[in-house]
Amino acid sequence: VNSFSQKYNPEWNSNIELLAKNLAEGNKTALSKAITLVESNKKEDFEKVQLLLKTISELPKKNAYRIGITGTPGVGKSTFIETYGHFLTQNNHQVAVLAIDPTSSKSGGSIMGDKTRMNELSRNENVFIRPTPSGSDLGGVAARTMEVIQLCEAAGFDRIIVETVGVGQSEYRVAEMTDLFILLTLPNSGDELQGIKRGIMEMADLIIINKADGDNISKAKIAQKQIENAIQLMPEKENGCIVKTLLCSALENSGIQEAYLAIEELLENLNQSGYLSSNRNLQLTQSFKRLIEEKTLDYIRQNENYQSLLSLLNNNLINGGTSPYRELQKYLYKIENLKTFDF
Amino acid sequence: VNSFSQKYNPEWNSNIELLAKNLAEGNKTALSKAITLVESNKKEDFEKVQLLLKTISELPKKNAYRIGITGTPGVGKSTFIETYGHFLTQNNHQVAVLAIDPTSSKSGGSIMGDKTRMNELSRNENVFIRPTPSGSDLGGVAARTMEVIQLCEAAGFDRIIVETVGVGQSEYRVAEMTDLFILLTLPNSGDELQGIKRGIMEMADLIIINKADGDNISKAKIAQKQIENAIQLMPEKENGCIVKTLLCSALENSGIQEAYLAIEELLENLNQSGYLSSNRNLQLTQSFKRLIEEKTLDYIRQNENYQSLLSLLNNNLINGGTSPYRELQKYLYKIENLKTFDF
């Protein structure tokens, strides 16, 4: 078992190798400092982060698993993670909890409301909780979270929980950076289950029906059957996981052990089949390719000449007497003659 | 009711206005000739097509509906369309059948096997069947099919059926160019239903279980229940359609009238709610935007400098000690300094 410390060292500002060394020794304050560096937009911090990532990549690695958790607001993600997190530490794990919250940058506030969450868990010595990073775009925030995962693992955390609100595109990003993806839902009947997007259910390796307590138990069992029926209709998982649906009450502390055991079994299977490590390499190159193409398009979309060209062609379309195919050809002819994509 | 003719006129080659005029009078040979022009890659044909589209856009328009039909190979799409097509003509409709087959360009052959299909329907005077266009990329083929739809409508066809094999991305393109999207499936149990991608089921406005005949009827009813359960879990359709699941046997000619009535009712509702016309405008601008961005990215992906830059950054990633975010920043820094996206 790791033992974590908290002592601050002012030398970290000028000595990145020392910061990396202390972080790797399990200093949580060094970890926080490193994450702040990662989240910085200052130019001078960029080289520091590069050195930091290089230094920690040369350290010996501990086996760590990355667990994604999603669910719509109100499903009880915080309460579940609080209970599950304590359970993990009782089983000799070191737990880091990160969040990707697509709502925080838009609304100024956050659906997740970090400050008041997981009070007890945050006082657990073997737990590290990092509030949602701020940022203007999901792609950038997600890419930085991948760095934060690297840092947490270097600091000795072996169960990295990345949670997100299942309301946008963020679930896909979280699935792209985790080994296992868990969907939390409520004991709702079919009508209310409509809120879960099909794509998210398809991504899930495990579905947990939370708040299955008191009067809700029979409702939860009906929901379980419905979800199991829906799973039957889905294609087999590429990673070989057989998707289970479990009942759980974070409030009554029931079903947590079953969830823990199911998660550990799935992770172990993924590890032993070799899927986990090959998948991490794939995640790395695929998410990078998508990131690059996304940002390239963003860059082009902001180009004023591109914008006016596009609105010209769009006007042609709306006025009629042409077609997307013909307008596309005009556009292609124009850019091929420019030959200016000179990387 | 329209009456169609077939007489060829050699003047069409030099007189596009005449071609457009004869096409609009219901000359099927003129329609075929116009479609061949649309599918041509010759430079001199490009201006002809522009003139053709402009001319027909100025003609008075008849109310026509566009119906997309998808289903995996073997589901009996041809037999269904053959039976349904005859039924439409018996109800005073003029039917055009088009296909988008993503397999035809890759394999040289076609899953759909156009030549032997719908023999009887093709002899029906009020039906026009156009074989799958060839082409190297789906985006381009789909964009040209939108032009073919315009031509068919100008020629007086009021039910345009666009069919596709549900094995790739083509269903999304077909959904993008039609008013109503129908999924054809078989009387299979849950296990076999897995083949249907969730996204496709979610796009469907109507699901028809084909081959519900003989010994299959009880299996078909079980499948119907399963699909209805799955639909319960899906979000409400944006277009307001309440998704039904119907049984049908094209072979025994049963359930076709029910399918016809259900389709007509859905189309009428879409028309009366105003969704249909606003959706067509949206389809036009959205599919154009996607087409432009897709082709722009394709163009950039082929750029050798881009490729070598990307593989350099990818190597950094695989060698470790960095992250997608850091490598992205290097890339962005490089392209921002180039300032060469000069449209």
Side-chain angles (χ1 to χ4, degrees), chain A residues 227-339:
Chain A
I227 291 171
E228 279 169 356
N229 284 340
I231 292 170
Q232 286 291 321
L233 294 180
M234 289 182 192
E236 264 177 51
K237 305 272 310 177
E238 222 178 283
N239 61 8
C241 285
I242 308 295
V243 185
K244 281 189 207 168
T245 308
L246 302 178
L247 301 186
C248 157
S249 165
L251 199 72
E252 293 185 353
N253 210 347
S254 69
I256 297 291
Q257 181 167 18
E258 289 76 6
Y260 164 75
L261 291 173
I263 293 167
E264 292 296 313
E265 194 190 339
L266 288 170
L267 288 168
E268 218 164 288
N269 289 345
L270 288 174
N271 196 17
Q272 279 175 6
S273 72
Y275 186 90
L276 193 142
S277 80
S278 67
N279 186 47
R280 281 193 186 174
N281 281 332
L282 201 67
Q283 286 177 326
L284 202 61
T285 51
Q286 280 188 346
S287 67
F288 182 60
K289 184 165 179 272
R290 209 179 26 68
L291 203 57
I292 286 280
E293 294 190 345
E294 201 175 283
K295 292 294 169 185
T296 304
L297 263 185
D298 275 353
Y299 186 71
I300 291 172
R301 284 184 191 122
Q302 284 161 28
N303 184 301
E304 284 181 21
N305 294 327
Y306 173 80
Q307 285 170 2
S308 49
L309 178 57
L310 210 66
S311 76
L312 182 79
L313 302 177
N314 247 322
N315 276 343
N316 293 346
L317 274 180
I318 286 162
N319 292 334
T322 182
S323 80
Y325 185 77
R326 299 300 138 184
E327 298 308 305
L328 174 70
Q329 299 314 311
K330 290 184 201 164
Y331 169 81
L332 288 178
Y333 181 75
K334 192 163 163 62
I335 66 171
E336 301 224 351
N337 279 320
L338 284 173
K339 300 222 180 291

Side-chain angles (χ1 to χ4, degrees), chain B residues 91-214:
Chain B
N91 285 274
N92 298 327
H93 292 296
Q94 291 77 45
V95 182
V97 181
L98 313 172
I100 292 183
D101 182 354
T103 60
S104 63
S105 51
K106 280 181 211 158
S107 60
S110 158
I111 289 184
M112 290 185 166
D114 291 298
K115 280 167 196 158
T116 55
R117 292 167 60 232
M118 303 184 226
N119 261 328
E120 258 194 75
L121 191 64
S122 65
R123 284 193 292 268
N124 185 318
E125 207 216 324
N126 288 306
V127 173
F128 178 83
I129 299 182
R130 180 74 184 189
T132 304
S134 59
S136 54
D137 77 301
L138 181 59
V141 169
R144 291 189 195 203
T145 302
M146 290 180 73
E147 299 184 335
V148 177
I149 292 175
Q150 288 180 50
L151 298 176
C152 290
E153 290 177 351
F157 293 96
D158 70 342
R159 292 295 179 274
I160 317 292
I161 298 174
V162 187
E163 69 163 314
T164 189
V165 185
V167 293
Q169 288 294 308
S170 57
E171 314 84 39
Y172 298 92
R173 307 307 172 108
V174 170
E176 247 176 31
M177 61 178 78
T178 53
D179 304 314
L180 194 77
F181 193 70
I182 298 171
L183 172 65
L184 233 66
T185 180
L186 291 175
N188 284 333
S189 57
D191 282 356
E192 291 154 81
L193 273 172
Q194 290 189 348
I196 307 170
K197 279 185 286 178
R198 309 300 309 166
I200 296 177
M201 212 187 249
E202 206 166 310
M203 284 192 300
D205 301 305
L206 179 69
I207 296 173
I208 297 177
I209 301 178
N210 197 17
K211 302 190 183 177
D213 39 40

Side-chain angles (χ1 to χ4, degrees), chain A residues 37-41 43 45-46 49-50 53-54 57 139-141 143-144 146-147 150 189-191 193-199 201-202 226-227 229-236 281 284-285 287-289 291-293 295-297 299-301 303 305-306 309-310 313-314 317-318 320-343, chain B residues 37-41 43 45-46 49-50 53-54 57 139-141 143-144 146-147 150 189-191 193-199 201-202 226-227 229-236 281 284-285 287-289 291-293 295-297 299-301 303 305-306 309-310 313-314 317-318 320-343:
Chain A
L37 265 185
V38 154
E39 290 173 354
S40 161
N41 287 319
K43 266 224 165 111
D45 289 336
F46 192 85
V49 175
Q50 297 232 70
L53 293 174
K54 181 132 193 60
S57 78
V141 169
R144 290 190 195 201
M146 290 181 73
E147 299 184 335
Q150 287 179 49
S189 57
D191 282 356
L193 274 172
Q194 290 190 348
I196 307 170
K197 279 186 287 177
R198 308 300 310 166
M201 212 187 249
E202 207 167 308
Q226 286 185 318
I227 291 171
N229 284 340
I231 292 170
Q232 286 291 321
L233 294 180
M234 289 182 192
E236 264 177 51
N281 281 332
L284 202 61
T285 51
S287 67
F288 182 60
K289 184 165 179 272
L291 203 57
I292 286 280
E293 294 190 345
K295 292 294 169 185
T296 304
L297 263 185
Y299 186 71
I300 291 172
R301 284 184 191 122
N303 184 301
N305 294 327
Y306 173 80
L309 178 57
L310 210 66
L313 302 177
N314 247 322
L317 274 180
I318 286 162
T322 182
S323 80
Y325 185 77
R326 299 300 138 184
E327 298 308 305
L328 174 70
Q329 299 314 311
K330 290 184 201 164
Y331 169 81
L332 288 178
Y333 181 75
K334 192 163 163 62
I335 66 171
E336 301 224 351
N337 279 320
L338 284 173
K339 300 222 180 291
T340 51
F341 288 91
D342 181 18
F343 287 87
Chain B
L37 265 185
V38 154
E39 289 174 354
S40 161
N41 286 319
K43 267 224 165 108
D45 289 336
F46 192 85
V49 176
Q50 297 231 70
L53 292 174
K54 182 131 193 60
S57 77
V141 169
R144 291 189 195 203
M146 290 180 73
E147 299 184 335
Q150 288 180 50
S189 57
D191 282 356
L193 273 172
Q194 290 189 348
I196 307 170
K197 279 185 286 178
R198 309 300 309 166
M201 212 187 249
E202 206 166 310
Q226 285 184 320
I227 292 171
N229 284 340
I231 291 169
Q232 285 291 322
L233 295 179
M234 289 183 194
E236 265 177 52
N281 282 332
L284 202 62
T285 51
S287 68
F288 182 60
K289 185 165 178 271
L291 202 58
I292 286 279
E293 294 188 345
K295 293 293 170 184
T296 305
L297 264 186
Y299 186 72
I300 291 172
R301 284 184 191 123
N303 183 300
N305 294 327
Y306 174 80
L309 178 58
L310 210 65
L313 302 178
N314 246 322
L317 275 180
I318 285 161
T322 181
S323 80
Y325 186 78
R326 299 302 138 185
E327 298 308 305
L328 174 70
Q329 299 313 312
K330 290 184 201 164
Y331 169 81
L332 288 178
Y333 181 74
K334 193 164 162 62
I335 65 171
E336 300 225 349
N337 280 319
L338 284 173
K339 300 222 181 291
T340 51
F341 288 90
D342 182 18
F343 288 86

